[in-house]
Amino acid sequence: MATHHDHSTAGSDDAVMTELLDLDAEVLHAYLSEVTAWVHQLAGDPAPSHLLDLGSGTGTGTFALLERFAKAEVTALDMSAPYLHHLRNKADERGVAHRVRTVQADLDATWPDLDPVDLVWAASSLHHMADPVRTLTDVRTALRPGGLLVAVEIDSFPRFLPDDLGIGRPGLEARCHAAMAEERSARLPHMGADWGPLLTRAGFTVETERVFTVDLTPPLPAATGRYAQLSLRRLRTGLGERLSADDLAALDALLDDERPDGILRRGDLHVRTTRTAWAARRP
């Protein structure tokens, strides 16, 4: 599953993004299990044998699909060579390298030469496309007739904090998300879109739509603190001058490893997000 982060990020940020994507998979494991069980049910019999993870990132969706479809092979497609290298290393470590193929491609440029596939998983990747209907049309061509596409998109980035942190003014995270949504609207205009009509325009038959709600409360997976810290640190970097000096100071205090009220030491974290999934078939 590609995540909610921009795959165009490069350079020194690669290591941070790689860790963040892996943490996303670890913290949201229960959600991934739920959504892939739903996909397995939709796919029916015979189970698909060749799957495509579109915008695979570091392999969140790839490994969830390999676990759910025990006899399938997955082609992991992403534009980032470092992510795909990391994914191949993980496949080796897990003993599933023989079931994974990686393909580096920029889908805004050209569709790669792929064998026909039975199922396409596109998680938090379609909103990065410059022309998503064109990309979806290419996806439809790559699917065998009757093949299934599952598109999963986020409504917003995960939220972790209570309204009153005991640091700064209440409502810090809400203000951060409002500022980020404003900054993002021009750069990623399709984030938060209704993908049903876009899928129809690309020639798919939309079968169903489902909202998955993630609401994790204590006790949380051990990685949650680090996941929240990296997410908020990335948000802090992206917001630049859009927040007040007081809010930036409060964020910096939260991100300080040494403070007792810093995010790594807090007992009041949660993880809240929603994901909307569309299941569509090639006629």
Side-chain angles (χ1 to χ4, degrees):
M1 154 187 166
T3 68
H4 48 267
H5 306 286
D6 189 346
H7 286 192
S8 65
T9 305
S12 61
D13 199 32
D14 275 335
V16 173
M17 278 303 305
T18 295
E19 182 182 0
L20 189 50
L21 291 171
D22 285 350
L23 287 168
D24 190 88
E26 185 175 348
V27 173
L28 301 183
H29 179 78
Y31 150 76
L32 284 166
S33 180
E34 182 183 9
V35 71
T36 56
W38 177 70
V39 172
H40 189 276
Q41 184 178 27
L42 288 172
D45 291 321
S49 59
H50 188 186
L51 284 53
L52 173 64
D53 184 0
L54 190 76
S56 61
T58 60
T60 298
T62 295
F63 296 112
L65 292 167
L66 287 171
E67 187 175 332
R68 182 63 65 183
F69 294 92
K71 297 181 180 179
E73 297 180 356
V74 176
T75 297
L77 188 156
D78 202 279
M79 67 182 294
S80 167
Y83 290 169
L84 293 175
H85 178 73
H86 183 72
L87 190 156
R88 287 192 295 271
N89 285 341
K90 287 202 296 184
D92 282 335
E93 291 169 3
R94 299 179 185 203
V96 293
H98 62 290
R99 298 174 58 200
V100 177
R101 176 192 177 205
T102 57
V103 175
Q104 184 182 1
D106 179 356
L107 297 185
D108 286 335
T110 184
W111 185 262
D113 183 20
L114 299 175
D115 292 333
V117 297
D118 306 311
L119 187 151
V120 175
W121 166 270
S124 298
S125 56
L126 291 174
H127 68 257
H128 290 286
M129 305 300 163
D131 185 349
V133 172
R134 189 192 75 181
T135 300
L136 286 168
T137 302
D138 290 335
V139 171
R140 179 177 55 80
T141 302
L143 270 170
R144 66 166 177 76
L148 183 69
L149 165 68
V150 178
V152 186
E153 284 288 331
I154 60 172
D155 298 336
S156 67
F157 294 159
R159 301 195 181 210
F160 304 98
L161 304 173
D163 187 63
D164 189 351
L165 294 164
I167 306 174
R169 288 191 298 130
L172 172 65
E173 192 169 34
R175 290 191 296 278
C176 288
H177 279 260
M180 185 58 77
E182 183 181 331
E183 184 274 335
R184 197 177 58 225
S185 60
R187 184 168 52 88
L188 295 172
H190 298 289
M191 189 168 177
D194 179 359
W195 288 88
L198 298 174
L199 287 161
T200 300
R201 282 172 55 193
F204 283 94
T205 300
V206 179
E207 287 194 349
T208 187
E209 177 183 339
R210 179 172 169 182
V211 176
F212 292 85
T213 300
V214 177
D215 189 2
L216 304 180
T217 57
L220 295 167
T224 302
R226 179 65 174 162
Y227 178 57
Q229 184 187 54
L230 285 183
S231 297
L232 290 169
R233 186 173 290 160
R234 188 166 171 80
L235 185 147
R236 164 72 172 87
T237 302
L239 288 176
E241 303 300 318
R242 290 178 178 267
L243 291 180
S244 70
D246 288 345
D247 279 348
L248 290 173
L251 262 181
D252 287 338
L254 277 172
L255 295 171
D256 187 338
D257 291 352
E258 303 303 319
R259 288 182 60 118
D261 51 4
I263 202 159
L264 291 182
R265 304 187 183 191
R266 300 187 71 97
D268 57 359
L269 296 181
H270 52 249
V271 183
R272 291 200 303 261
T273 187
T274 58
R275 310 279 169 102
T276 304
W278 290 263
R281 288 195 188 273
R282 174 180 175 175

